[in-house]
Amino acid sequence: MKSVLMTGFDPFGGETVNPASRAVSKLAGKVIDGHRIITKEIPTVFGKSAYAVEQAIRELNPNLVISVGQAGGTHAIRVERLAVNIDDARIPDNEGNQPKDAATAVDGPVAYWSTLPVRKIVDELTNSRVPAFISYTAGTYVCNHVFYSASHFVAVNQLHTKVGFIHVPFLPEQVIDKPPTPSMSEEMIVQALEIIVAVCTG
Ligand code: PCA
């Protein structure tokens, strides 16, 4: 059966939840357009996170890899279009690593495009009344690191797997002490992820 690997990060930066892993876990085992969704929580740690995704790609040989991360402060689903070859951390990761000015892959190209249909995804989310936009930077922290590493792994191994990255807002429970930070309900984030899989597999 065709499959979609969906990953979500564990909580980081002092938060007790991560909306990404919370929403991703709700999709475990679902079948959309003949594709089974296989979910995996990955650590917010440079190196280990990328390794976990690469291992999962090796094991599952999925048709699609969609990694999901929290982008605190954003008001909408951010469909990332570009992964860049840089690790430059503003805060330490969950194991205290804080790379600065480092290449994600020393032998890799400057950047990779998402191989998901990003415009179609945003159009479909907008039609479904889910706030969404195309983003041209996934930052330079662990999310971009995973997006770039998975793209590089697929390129180097000449796989047909499509790779993309989605950033999601805080959950309402995370912004109670952070006015006026925007948030999005878990239900809407889950709905958005289902729409994204349907657009990519349909
Ligand atoms: N967001 C971080 C890393 C983990 C996550 O969920 C980021 O945007 O890099």
Side-chain angles (χ1 to χ4, degrees):
M1 188 176 195
K2 292 178 176 174
S3 64
V4 177
L5 171 65
M6 262 204 163
T7 70
F9 289 93
D10 65 358
F12 71 102
E15 298 296 324
T16 53
V17 295
N18 189 320
S21 52
R22 179 80 82 75
V24 163
S25 70
K26 297 288 176 329
L27 297 180
K30 262 205 153 206
V31 177
I32 297 180
D33 288 325
H35 290 66
R36 184 174 300 282
I37 301 178
I38 295 153
T39 64
K40 197 172 173 59
E41 186 178 78
I42 58 174
T44 302
V45 176
F46 284 96
K48 274 190 185 171
S49 51
Y51 184 71
V53 176
E54 289 166 12
Q55 274 299 101
I57 296 174
R58 262 193 212 101
E59 278 165 27
L60 303 165
N61 190 24
N63 301 78
L64 206 60
V65 179
I66 302 176
S67 293
V68 186
Q70 162 192 300
T74 194
H75 70 287
I77 300 291
R78 268 171 42 181
V79 183
E80 301 296 345
R81 188 168 239 175
L82 196 61
V84 292
N85 191 5
I86 184 105
D87 292 347
D88 196 64
R90 185 179 52 82
I91 55 169
D93 70 15
N94 284 351
E95 290 190 356
N97 308 299
Q98 193 170 9
K100 295 270 186 198
D101 309 320
T104 307
V106 280
D107 55 345
V110 171
Y112 285 102
W113 296 115
S114 168
T115 43
L116 305 188
V118 294
R119 176 71 59 192
K120 215 171 151 201
I121 289 171
V122 167
D123 287 350
E124 205 51 55
L125 289 170
T126 306
N127 287 341
S128 302
R129 293 287 171 259
V130 177
F133 63 97
I134 296 177
S135 163
Y136 288 87
T137 174
T140 57
Y141 193 49
V142 187
C143 287
N144 174 74
H145 174 82
V146 159
F147 184 17
Y148 185 92
S149 300
S151 303
H152 189 55
F153 181 82
V154 163
V156 167
N157 291 289
Q158 299 180 316
L159 306 178
H160 295 294
T161 316
K162 305 258 190 252
V163 179
F165 198 96
I166 307 295
H167 262 124
V168 302
F170 281 135
L171 296 168
E173 69 196 67
Q174 293 178 277
V175 300
I176 287 166
D177 58 349
K178 302 182 184 75
T181 309
S183 66
M184 187 179 276
S185 72
E186 184 181 318
E187 293 70 29
M188 186 171 270
I189 297 173
V190 171
Q191 182 199 357
L193 297 181
E194 286 174 349
I195 290 169
I196 291 166
V197 173
V199 171
C200 294
T201 56

